[in-house]
Amino acid sequence: MINPAREHEWASWMRSAIAGDSRAYHKLLTAITPHLRVMARRRCDQFGAPTSEAEDVVQEVLLAIHLKRGTWDPARPLAPWISVLVRNKLINSLRRRGRQIIIPLEDVEATLASEERLSASDRMDVEQILAKLRDPQRTIVQAISIEGTSVRETANRLNMTEVAVRVSLHRALKALAALYSERAI
C-alpha cells in the first residue's frame, strides 16, 4: 500500500511530466523504481516466477511508463495504474518463458567450469560464441563458465554487485540459448 502523501507526490510529478517537465519525470522515475522492484519481486513470488525475472519486469515497466504515460488518467491514483503495468509485464514475461524449467544458478555454478581441457576447435567455437556477447556479459560468462571463477570473485574483479553479476550471467546465458536455438533451426 502506498502512502497517500507519496501517491499525491508521484501523481503530481506524473502530471508535470506529461506536461513536459523533464525534471519532474526524472524525480518520478527515480522515486518509483525501488517500489517497482519490491512489487516485481512480490509478484514473481506470487506467480512462482524466479526472482531473477523481477529486474527484467522493472525495466519493461519503466519503458511502458515512458511509452504509455499519456494513457494515465490524471484524475485517478497513479499507484494502481503502475501496479497493473507490473502485473501485465510479469504475465507477458511468464508467457514468453512458457514451460521452461528454471534451475537456480546456485544449484549449478559449481559445475559450470569444467576441469577438462578444450580442444583447439572447441576453444574456437567458444570464442566465436562469446564474441556474440557484449561486455560485461562476455567477461562474466568467460570468468564463471569457462575459468571457474566464483560469482563473488567476478563481482569484485568487475566492481559489480553479486546480484548484478548473477542477473548479467542469466541474461547472457538466455541470449546464448536464443542464438543457439536459432542456429539449430
Side-chain angles (χ1 to χ4, degrees), residues 3 13 22 25 68 71 82 90-91 93 105 112 120-121 173:
N3 172 326
W13 288 338
S22 61
Y25 189 51
K68 298 178 185 219
T71 66
I82 291 173
L90 179 60
I91 289 169
S93 175
L105 179 61
L112 285 175
S121 65
L173 295 176

Side-chain angles (χ1 to χ4, degrees), residues 61-76:
V61 169
L62 289 170
L63 181 60
I65 288 170
H66 180 71
L67 296 173
K68 298 178 185 219
R69 64 182 181 249
T71 66
W72 172 66
D73 180 356
R76 297 180 153 275

Side-chain angles (χ1 to χ4, degrees), residues 126-146:
V126 168
E127 288 171 10
Q128 286 177 337
I129 291 169
L130 288 178
K132 296 184 184 306
L133 295 174
R134 288 188 228 137
D135 271 327
Q137 287 182 341
R138 180 182 323 121
T139 303
I140 291 169
V141 171
Q142 175 79 35
I144 294 172
S145 299
I146 311 250

Side-chain angles (χ1 to χ4, degrees), residues 41-112:
R41 286 186 189 122
R42 198 174 297 142
R43 293 281 184 159
C44 283
D45 287 343
Q46 179 184 3
F47 287 105
T51 54
S52 60
E53 202 81 23
E55 191 59 33
D56 290 339
V57 169
V58 168
Q59 297 305 315
E60 288 185 33
V61 169
L62 289 170
L63 181 60
I65 288 170
H66 180 71
L67 296 173
K68 298 178 185 219
R69 64 182 181 249
T71 66
W72 172 66
D73 180 356
R76 297 180 153 275
L78 182 63
W81 184 75
I82 291 173
S83 181
V84 168
L85 289 175
V86 171
R87 186 198 70 212
N88 291 346
K89 293 302 176 184
L90 179 60
I91 289 169
N92 290 346
S93 175
L94 293 172
R95 284 183 183 142
R96 278 193 307 271
R97 192 165 45 98
R99 294 192 177 268
Q100 292 178 345
I101 297 171
I102 302 297
I103 300 171
L105 179 61
E106 297 81 24
D107 293 352
V108 295
E109 74 181 336
T111 62
L112 285 175

Side-chain angles (χ1 to χ4, degrees), residues 153-161 165:
E153 292 168 327
T154 304
N156 289 337
R157 188 171 95 196
L158 297 175
N159 198 23
M160 296 171 69
T161 65
V165 168

